[in-house]
């Protein structure tokens, strides 16, 4: 299959979106930009479209999809109830980078929800995403538009690398704004439970809804006794080809340890990458030093993280050492993705090389 890539700007863009909506309507797949990452869209009420999404991504079909809507009016038919905490969260953060988990209504097929009785719903703020959903007149099921196990795509080019030839169309809206997937919040229990951290922080959730907590299973290392409530969180996502390790500690000690680890691997003949912020880029002279953003504006780190991980793959890095980025409101989300990409390899700058959570 040939994958058509079309821009979303201007009159040409309107035509491209109309064609994309038509493709969705007849069961096809279209990748589109959102403010978080690119999504791979299909008709959210069509079990066959869900099956095609899983096949195109190479994703296990027990991992449920998010339904994307373009107005709050579209929510009630899809869910059994809308708890008051959900209303408060939607007032505060929709449209935007927040996905809510509700009990599903009968019209949502189990093929879309991975067999669950709950459904994930998001109202994205990206104008092209909204236009596509509106024109299609359907809830659009959309996981991130990457092959399973690759970093989520933040440009149309990333989507083409992974899914070119497997889907009908890619709508190109340029680089996305945020760069990490939405905050997922389960509103079916007593308090809002964050199943996946994102741009909306726990503190913001508590401010809007009066309460909130993280799913204990997503904090620290995976624990056989604790099953994450978002099935996708149990997979080792975002795995770069290189062996990635995160070095933690005081800035000077971190820079020193990364420089010495990198030098050691380079002497042994390996291709070595370093992921660091602008603030410390001058401290390293290994072959592949990537500046992911600035600690002064940590959203720049979220914005560039997946692109940098993909570039290390392309440049065939064999070892990558990264600083930790755990400060500020997006620290939880950035570290959640980075720690998983590192397979939980965290090296304290002061001590030995043992893995710690
Ligand atoms: O920002 C985003 O959320 C992007 C854009 C495209 O909207 N989408 C995205 O979808 O990240 P995906 O499929 O890559 O991740 C969805 C996550 C998975 O971890 C899945 O397990 C979880 O949401 N999820 C979906 N439905 C769920 C449900 N009913 N209960 C618990 N977790 C659910
Ligand atoms: Mg994903």
């Amino acid at each position: 299959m040939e994958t058509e890539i079309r821009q979303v700007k201007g009159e040409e863009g309107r035509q491209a979106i109309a064609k994309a909506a038509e493709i969705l309507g007849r069961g096809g797949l279209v990748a589109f930009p959102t403010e978080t990452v690119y999504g791979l869209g299909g008709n959210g009420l069509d079990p066959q479209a869900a099956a095609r999404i899983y096949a195109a991504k190479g994703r296990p079909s027990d991992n449920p999809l998010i339904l994307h809507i373009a107005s709050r009016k579209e929510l009630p038919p899809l869910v059994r109830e809308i708890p008051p905490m959900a209303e408060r969260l939607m007032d505060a953060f929709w449209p935007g980078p927040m996905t809510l988990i509700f009990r599903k209504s009968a019209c949502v097929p189990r093929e879309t929800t991975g067999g669950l009785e709950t459904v994930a719903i998001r109202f994205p703020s990206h104008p092209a995403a909204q236009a596509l959903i509106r024109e299609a007149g359907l809830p659009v099921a959309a996981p991130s538009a990457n092959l399973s196990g690759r970093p989520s795509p933040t440009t149309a080019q990333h989507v083409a690398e992974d899914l070119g030839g497997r889907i009908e169309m890619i709508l190109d809206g340029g680089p996305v704004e945020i760069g990490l997937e939405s905050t997922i919040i389960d509103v079916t229990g007593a308090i809002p439970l964050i199943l996946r951290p994102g741009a909306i922080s726990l503190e913001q959730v508590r401010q809007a809804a009066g309460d909130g907590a993280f799913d204990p299973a997503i904090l620290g290392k995976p624990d056989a006794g604790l099953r994450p409530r978002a099935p996708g969180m149990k997979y080792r996502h975002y795995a770069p080809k290189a062996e990635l390790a995160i070095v933690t500690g005081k800035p000077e000690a971190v820079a020193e340890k990364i420089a010495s680890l990198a030098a050691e691997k380079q002497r042994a003949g390996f291709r070595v990458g370093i992921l660091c912020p602008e603030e410390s880029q001058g401290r390293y002279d290994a072959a592949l030093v990537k500046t992911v953003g600035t600690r002064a504006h940590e959203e720049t780190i979220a914005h560039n993280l997946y692109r940098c991980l993909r570039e290390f793959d392309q440049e065939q890095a064999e070892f990558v050492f990264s600083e930790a980025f755990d400060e500020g409101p997006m620290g939880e989300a950035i570290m959640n993705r980075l720690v998983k990409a590192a397979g939980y390899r965290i090296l304290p700058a002061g001590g030995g090389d043992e893995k710690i959570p």
Side-chain angles (χ1 to χ4, degrees):
M1 166 188 318
E2 186 153 350
T3 302
E4 192 180 351
I5 304 181
R6 303 272 300 264
Q7 300 290 323
V8 297
K9 286 225 175 75
E11 178 50 35
E12 292 244 342
R14 270 190 289 281
Q15 285 169 19
I17 287 170
K19 180 162 181 196
E22 199 186 293
I23 292 171
L24 292 178
R26 53 165 200 263
L29 304 185
V30 174
F32 61 97
T34 81
E35 67 277 24
T36 57
V37 299
Y38 275 74
L40 172 57
N43 177 351
L45 302 179
D46 173 3
Q48 278 171 7
R52 285 202 59 206
I53 289 175
Y54 289 118
K57 277 181 65 84
R59 171 173 179 156
S61 60
D62 68 342
N63 191 1
L65 306 175
I66 298 174
L67 293 188
H68 294 68
I69 58 177
S71 80
R72 271 171 76 168
K73 285 200 304 280
E74 295 161 41
L75 176 65
L78 303 173
V79 302
R80 283 235 300 267
E81 67 210 355
I82 303 176
M85 66 178 133
E87 299 279 6
R88 288 200 287 272
L89 290 168
M90 293 187 290
D91 288 343
F93 306 119
W94 269 6
M98 176 182 77
T99 297
L100 295 180
I101 309 287
F102 297 92
R103 286 178 218 289
K104 78 173 195 70
S105 72
C107 75
V108 178
R110 283 206 187 79
E111 284 80 356
T112 302
T113 66
L116 297 176
E117 278 308 313
T118 52
V119 61
I121 315 261
R122 180 156 108 79
F123 176 3
S125 63
H126 196 293
Q130 290 185 0
L132 175 65
I133 300 162
R134 253 194 325 268
E135 286 249 357
L138 296 162
V140 175
S144 49
N146 51 288
L147 284 176
S148 198
R150 298 262 288 154
S152 293
T154 56
T155 66
Q157 195 46 48
H158 295 163
V159 179
E161 276 166 32
D162 281 15
L163 300 177
R166 293 169 168 247
I167 62 178
E168 278 83 353
M169 192 190 248
I170 300 171
L171 291 174
D172 183 352
V176 300
E177 180 196 333
I178 296 173
L180 295 180
E181 306 85 343
S182 60
T183 304
I184 301 180
I185 309 172
D186 186 336
V187 292
T188 65
I191 62 166
L193 200 60
I194 297 184
L195 309 189
R196 178 176 74 182
I200 307 294
S201 67
L202 175 59
E203 198 180 310
Q204 285 175 292
V205 169
R206 284 181 174 154
Q207 251 164 34
D211 208 346
F214 283 116
D215 176 1
I218 66 164
L219 302 172
K221 267 185 173 172
D223 171 341
L226 277 180
R227 206 152 63 105
R229 293 170 68 105
M233 298 295 280
K234 70 176 182 267
Y235 299 106
R236 189 188 161 200
H237 271 183
Y238 330 116
K241 291 174 191 147
E243 183 174 310
L244 169 65
I246 303 166
V247 179
T248 58
K250 294 226 165 65
E252 298 72 34
V254 167
E256 212 169 290
K257 176 146 181 124
I258 288 181
S260 88
L261 285 166
E264 186 187 308
K265 292 295 182 196
Q266 272 183 319
R267 275 197 302 275
F270 292 109
R271 276 179 80 73
V272 180
I274 292 176
L275 191 66
C276 65
E278 265 171 36
E279 286 77 358
S280 56
Q281 118 203 62
R283 291 176 163 163
Y284 304 113
D285 57 8
L288 300 172
V289 179
K290 284 195 197 300
T291 306
V292 62
T294 163
R295 290 193 189 277
H297 301 285
E298 54 153 18
E299 60 276 15
T300 58
I301 295 169
H303 182 82
N304 294 315
L305 180 65
Y306 287 150
R307 176 179 55 77
C308 289
L309 292 178
R310 278 180 181 261
E311 285 174 5
F312 281 130
D313 275 354
Q314 266 163 3
E315 290 156 11
Q316 296 178 341
E318 292 164 287
F319 288 88
V320 173
F321 299 101
S322 177
E323 295 192 13
F325 305 101
D326 50 4
E327 299 119 18
M330 280 206 78
E332 276 292 342
I334 295 168
M335 291 308 284
N336 173 265
R337 306 325 192 259
L338 192 59
V339 164
K340 271 197 191 177
Y344 302 87
R345 246 183 316 270
I346 302 175
L347 312 177
D353 287 1
E354 79 278 17
K355 292 184 189 182
I356 56 161

